[in-house]
Structures are given as structure tokens and as C-alpha cells.
Amino acid sequence: MDNQKKNLVAIQGLKGAFHHIAANKFFGENIEIIEKETFQEEFDAFEKDEIDYALVAIENSIAGSINQNYDL
């Protein structure tokens, strides 16, 4: 049994979506995904030390820059 602590990584959206795939590619499989409805919720959780990391998109291939996330 693996007793290694899993990093808590917040994503905007649901497991299986792009952010989840990106989190697994960057951090590896030994993480626990925390789903958030908004990017603001990710930042709030990080500030409250509820998560270890927040994966946040800053560019979108269709919409371009996500200015709100730069501001956050």
C-alpha cells in the first residue's frame, strides 16, 4: 500500500476534462484532483491552504488570453 501523501490539485471543471489530463501530465498520477466550478474558487482554496496546487489556464485556443486568470 502506498503511504505517500498525495498532492491536492484543484482544477476548474470535471475529472476527465482537459484540466484533469493536464494536471496528470504535469504532476503525475499520485495526486488527488479537487474539482472547482470557477477559477476564482481555485484561488480561494489555495489562499485558505485547502489545496497544494491550482492548475489554471491562461490561454485558450479558441478565445485567446483568459484575462481574468491573469488578474487572479
Side-chain angles (χ1 to χ4, degrees):
M1 186 165 170
D2 187 4
N3 290 330
Q4 184 179 0
K5 178 190 174 289
K6 291 186 175 189
N7 285 317
L8 302 177
V9 179
I11 62 167
Q12 185 277 319
L14 303 174
K15 292 177 184 167
F18 178 76
H19 287 108
H20 182 202
I21 295 166
N24 281 332
K25 280 189 128 183
F26 185 82
F27 293 101
E29 297 288 329
N30 194 32
I31 59 174
E32 182 177 340
I33 295 293
I34 308 297
E35 299 166 317
K36 298 292 182 184
E37 287 189 32
T38 67
F39 292 113
Q40 180 67 58
E41 288 178 11
E42 285 187 75
F43 281 89
D44 292 343
F46 185 78
E47 287 179 352
K48 295 175 186 175
D49 289 325
E50 296 173 353
I51 58 172
D52 300 305
Y53 299 96
L55 185 115
V56 179
I58 56 171
E59 297 286 327
N60 180 295
S61 60
I62 296 172
S65 294
I66 304 174
N67 294 325
Q68 167 201 357
N69 291 352
Y70 280 105
D71 294 340
L72 290 169

